[in-house]
Amino acid sequence: MQSTYINQLSKLENQEVVLKGWNANKRDSKGLVFLTLRDGTGFVQCVIDLNIVGEQMFEDAKRLSLESSLSIQGKVIKNEKQFGGYELQATSLQVIAIAEEYPIGRKEHGPDFLLNHRHLWLRSKRQWAIMRIRNTIIFAIHEFFQQRNFVQMDAPIFTGNACEGTSNLFETDYFGDPAYLSQSGQLYGEAMAMAQGLIYTFGPTFRAEKSKTRRHLTEFWMIEPEMAFYDLKMDMDLIEDFIRYVVSKVLDNCQTELQALERNTSFLERVREPFIRMKYEEAVDIIKGEKTVNGKTTIQILEEDLAALKDNIASAEKDIAEREAKIASGSLTKGEANFNRSKIDTLKNEIADLLEKAANIPTWLNSAQNFERGNDFGGSDETVLTRMFGQPIMVYNWPQEVKAFYMKEDENDKGYVKGVDLLAPEGYGEVVGGGERETDIERLKRKIVEHELPMEAFEWYLDLRKFGNVPHSGFGLGLERLVTWICGLQHVRESIPFPRFYGRLTP
């Protein structure tokens, strides 16, 4: 019989099938083995009954170690209690290979241990779900742009110049000349847009920042569309349509994966509403608590959040104390005691999360109250701002000092440029940065000098303003930051198969 895949089982209810995969978990009792099989498309519980498979196959099932490979045949049974909604009642099985003792067990492992074993960690249900959501996002990105007549084009990875200076670039020797690993394909994207009208690039980019924050990688993937004859408003409209399309695709097609991550999707659902748009100065007023949103300031909201967190911590601690007293009394059955111990462990983890959140709020309050106008937003500022709305926010018209030299100055708002940042809710911060590009060649030359960039390296870029100059705009989206937000991850390192960040080059 030809084998099938776990993600097809919903179409094969009550039919006999063959599955091939790996043992992701196993427990046994008298006459029964319960095995969780994974095959890359999903996870399914397989029930192996001694009376059905016989003594030899039953013993084979009992000796399966974690990550041993096997082929198993059986009947597909609907079971709503199981992950995926189905299980397999086995009729036979064949061991393919018995795995050695698996280094990643059920106990808690630290992040360094897991990253050192990333090649194996990818097999866990959580990482499986993240990578499949990442795949859906990538497919949706291509789908979105291809449906809108964009042409995918590729920018070089080796470049002779930088978009925004060389301080955070990886320099290499290019046959005796200095070259840099690209931090962005945007400048080349502008050239390609002048040839094709609507283009997007999708490729790896590199930043040599010595940062270990939860938002930073040194190697990541960027999506960078550039559009001829687009102004800032058209650019923002496209960004909104784009994010709404991609997130909606995940919500529609990845319910199993989101369930595996225990992702609360309420904030994701709000992408279906119109995005909030505001100028930089209005955003600063809100951050500093000088303007109310729904009758409250950021300072009031954060103080209320802190009080609620303290109440929740106290409630959880009281619950733990009561459960520990019940266990100590000796009045509980073994099952009841084990249930309460498990609940205590869960509550302790919840308290740890609550304490971390509570510790952050004083920092956010201090940052909000002391924010200086004209500065770029830090992670705390973005978190405070998005907390007030709970949905994506577009902040536009930024002070020219904090944006790149190629941003177009607003003719009606001197000192500000037509740039836009899209901030994701739940504290995930900037996921898109873009804007209208400067078309005034003389102003571009002045900005290149002000940013202390070598003029000769940008002669080709200035040619775009000499030959067929038109208004144009674009944006860049970091794939991993988008995956991190959609999946609700604590750290961007889980959003890419093999992360590279400061201090991490293996495996």
Side-chain angles (χ1 to χ4, degrees), residues 2 15 61 68 73 106 148 153 173 187 200 223 235 243 252-253 259 268 306 314 329 335 374 377 395 421 430 439 463:
Q2 187 173 357
Q15 295 184 40
S68 293
Q73 184 171 333
R106 294 182 185 178
R148 286 159 179 76
M153 298 187 76
D173 183 293
L187 301 186
Y200 71 105
I223 301 92
D235 195 28
I243 296 297
D252 292 343
N253 298 303
Q259 176 192 346
L268 298 178
L306 183 57
S329 71
F377 293 167
V395 180
D421 285 357
E430 181 192 344
T439 52
D463 278 350

Side-chain angles (χ1 to χ4, degrees), residues 23 25-28 32-35 46-50 53-66 68 70 72 90 92-95 98:
N23 171 31
N25 191 28
K26 188 190 72 176
R27 58 185 175 87
D28 53 73
L32 291 172
V33 171
F34 299 93
L35 181 149
C46 302
V47 181
I48 301 154
D49 188 328
L50 170 62
V53 301
E55 188 172 336
Q56 181 59 55
M57 288 186 183
F58 187 75
E59 289 302 315
D60 287 343
K62 287 179 67 175
R63 69 187 180 92
L64 286 168
S65 54
L66 201 59
S68 293
L70 67 147
I72 187 165
S92 67
L93 68 88
Q94 177 186 355
V95 177
I98 297 292

